[in-house]
Amino acid sequence: MRESLRPRGEALRSAARRIAVRRAEEPDTPLFQIITEAARHFDLSPSEEQMLLSDLLSESTEAPLH
């Protein structure tokens, strides 16, 4: 069993902060790309990544690049 030193949910909160900063600093970078990179960086689960994609892309006019 994998134990994390971070409190539960901290990786998701950190990813959300990173996404917000990158959106402000790099407005021309596709949101989908920013979210997937943050998910990998913070080792989010597939369901956590999907939640970010669903929540943030639904607020945006940007469509995912599948």
Side-chain angles (χ1 to χ4, degrees):
M1 179 164 71
R2 186 176 128 192
E3 294 289 327
S4 176
L5 297 176
R6 288 189 282 193
R8 186 175 187 96
E10 184 58 32
L12 188 57
R13 286 188 289 277
S14 295
R17 283 191 294 270
R18 182 182 185 112
I19 292 165
V21 168
R22 283 209 49 211
R23 286 182 79 184
E25 292 175 349
E26 303 173 32
D28 293 333
T29 302
L31 179 55
F32 181 82
Q33 178 182 335
I34 292 172
I35 294 168
T36 56
E37 288 173 1
R40 282 189 209 106
H41 181 82
F42 290 100
D43 194 27
L44 299 183
S45 70
S47 61
E48 289 172 321
E49 180 178 2
Q50 186 59 48
M51 183 184 72
L52 285 174
L53 288 167
S54 296
D55 289 350
L56 297 176
L57 289 177
S58 68
E59 296 173 2
S60 172
T61 57
E62 190 175 317
L65 304 172
H66 294 263

